[in-house]
Amino acid sequence: MKLQRKNRLRALSLGAVAVSGALALTACGSDDNGNGSGNPSTSAKAGSVKCDDAKGQLLADGSSAQKNAIDAWVKAFSQACGVQINYKGGGSGAGVTAFTQGQVAFAGSDSALKPEEVTASKSVCKGGQGIDLPMVGGPIALGYNVPGVDNLVLDAPTIAKIFDSKITKWNDPAIAALNKGVKLPDLKIQAFHRSDESGTTDNFTKYLIATTPDNWKYSGGKAWQAKGGQSAPQSAGVAQQVKQTSGAIGYFELSYVKDGLKAVSINTGASKPVAPSSESATADIAAAQVVGTGKDLSLKLDYKTKAEGAYPITLVTYEIVCDKGNKADTLPATKAFLRYIASEDGQKILPSIGYAPVPDEIIAKVRTTIEGLS
């Protein structure tokens, strides 16, 4: 089903209340919170969260791109329901592995389950299988640290050559042609990629494969394949390396662009370059196609969009859960948490922290699916 632009998500209020105090995670908690202060924002009120029979503790792992959103959601949900949720945020690959091995109640992944992963999930989901529920949208920003350059424009071929070590200086003619009138330094490019298996890597390289196959001849996937460059674990790790390295560039979720980092605008062929934002990501996600079958709601994104105001390097993070066969002791809390984050209140948090809500028509299907989990 092609989503029409007229069905784009209605305007959401960005008036979110700052939540003070970092979320305290236990056991295998991660410091990959990406927002520097550790104080995610939330507009949810405790009274708006339906706890039902939720109790105990949930373990989860996966996408570090969505961790700032998870932190905000967990803060509101835990305050309302007293359920402790430990989301490690170790990356999409780690999350899927933990899920198929039965170690977590749910996982987050920026890539939908592969057929072999669905098969593996059947041993954990007794009588069912793992399904993909799109819950968080957002642009993959190209954050950069180039002294004296405040507005940088790149296109797909140039991005591919930078991350494939074919363009190595910031004053390269290809970059200069896209940035007329900008004084580019004679400075070495330090391109950073993810060292761990990552759905962010998967989506970023899908964009390069789709838009400039002549310049990106790799097959893609969660593991980085190009030669050269430098690496760091998780989105926060890449962002930190870019922040402290002059001449650096890296890819990570928009909420990690802060503390002096700037984001590249993309020349897509539209009338003007498009900067990453919640609105420009939603414009791209609104044109996605649902390609999952049954209760699975995986999406196909349009990486080659030339639509005005649509940012092309966009990902959707899925919460992966069993459709049937969830563990009885964690099912009530899992359903209650997923119900909250898919709710209007849960989705309303996202723009204020750099994410894009899932368009109405899709999130309605997600809500229906959550109610049928067993």
Side-chain angles (χ1 to χ4, degrees):
M1 174 183 56
K2 184 85 171 178
L3 297 178
Q4 301 300 322
R5 295 185 68 84
K6 66 181 180 181
N7 289 329
R8 285 178 54 188
L9 187 68
R10 63 185 179 279
L12 294 172
S13 169
L14 301 184
V17 188
V19 175
S20 62
L23 173 66
L25 296 180
T26 60
C28 52
S30 169
D31 62 359
D32 184 15
N33 55 27
N35 62 7
S37 66
N39 300 329
S41 296
T42 173
S43 60
K45 296 180 181 179
S48 69
V49 181
K50 296 180 180 180
C51 303
D52 293 337
D53 297 322
K55 60 183 178 180
Q57 178 179 355
L58 291 181
L59 299 180
D61 195 2
S63 164
S64 65
Q66 73 164 353
K67 190 167 188 303
N68 290 338
I70 290 285
D71 282 358
W73 282 330
V74 167
K75 181 69 173 179
F77 183 78
S78 296
Q79 283 182 339
C81 302
V83 176
Q84 182 183 24
I85 300 179
N86 179 355
Y87 183 80
K88 185 178 179 181
S92 297
V96 171
T97 297
F99 179 77
T100 57
Q101 293 179 352
Q103 298 171 356
V104 293
F106 69 91
S109 177
D110 307 321
S111 299
L113 290 169
K114 296 178 180 178
E116 61 269 24
E117 293 168 341
V118 172
T119 299
S121 74
K122 293 180 179 180
S123 64
V124 174
C125 306
K126 303 302 182 183
Q129 66 180 49
I131 57 173
D132 302 287
L133 301 178
M135 205 71 77
V136 186
I140 301 174
L142 294 175
Y144 68 95
N145 177 359
V146 182
V149 180
D150 294 327
N151 297 289
L152 181 67
V153 175
L154 297 175
D155 60 10
T158 307
I159 294 167
K161 291 173 185 177
I162 286 173
F163 281 90
D164 199 24
S165 302
K166 301 293 177 57
I167 292 178
T168 60
K169 289 290 189 72
W170 280 112
N171 61 351
D172 187 276
I175 300 176
L178 293 165
N179 295 273
K180 297 185 184 301
V182 177
K183 186 176 181 180
L184 298 166
D186 182 12
L187 179 65
K188 181 180 179 180
I189 296 173
Q190 308 278 357
F192 283 88
H193 58 264
R194 290 281 290 272
S195 60
D196 53 326
E197 289 202 353
S198 161
T200 309
T201 294
D202 191 16
N203 284 274
F204 176 52
T205 55
K206 280 179 180 176
Y207 161 74
L208 296 176
I209 292 167
T211 55
T212 184
D214 290 343
N215 294 299
W216 196 262
K217 299 181 180 297
Y218 304 98
S219 60
K222 291 186 180 75
W224 185 257
Q225 296 173 323
K227 307 300 181 184
Q230 302 181 61
S231 66
Q234 303 172 359
S235 294
V238 175
Q240 181 62 29
Q241 290 298 317
V242 174
K243 177 184 174 182
Q244 65 189 28
T245 306
S246 180
I249 187 171
Y251 58 90
F252 32 79
E253 210 282 327
L254 180 61
S255 64
Y256 294 90
V257 178
K258 60 190 184 310
D259 298 336
L261 290 181
K262 300 177 179 65
V264 170
S265 294
I266 306 297
N267 182 342
T268 64
S271 64
K272 61 181 180 180
V274 184
S277 68
S278 295
E279 183 180 28
S280 63
T282 298
D284 187 53
I285 296 170
Q289 293 175 293
V290 176
V291 294
T293 58
K295 294 182 178 179
D296 186 90
L297 296 173
S298 55
L299 304 175
K300 181 179 180 181
L301 298 171
D302 183 9
Y303 297 106
K304 296 193 288 185
T305 182
K306 295 183 180 179
E308 297 296 328
Y311 185 80
I313 319 178
T314 301
L315 61 77
V316 170
T317 298
Y318 303 95
E319 310 312 328
I320 297 171
V321 67
C322 297
D323 58 354
K324 299 178 182 179
N326 290 279
K327 294 179 181 178
D329 59 339
T330 58
L331 178 59
T334 299
K335 287 183 70 170
F337 181 65
L338 294 179
R339 181 184 296 120
Y340 162 59
I341 69 178
S343 71
E344 183 175 347
D345 280 341
Q347 291 287 298
K348 188 164 57 178
I349 291 173
L350 296 176
S352 67
I353 49 177
Y355 295 93
V358 176
D360 283 344
E361 190 169 341
I362 297 175
I363 203 66
K365 294 179 182 294
V366 172
R367 292 166 184 157
T368 299
T369 302
I370 290 167
E371 295 308 317
L373 298 179
S374 62

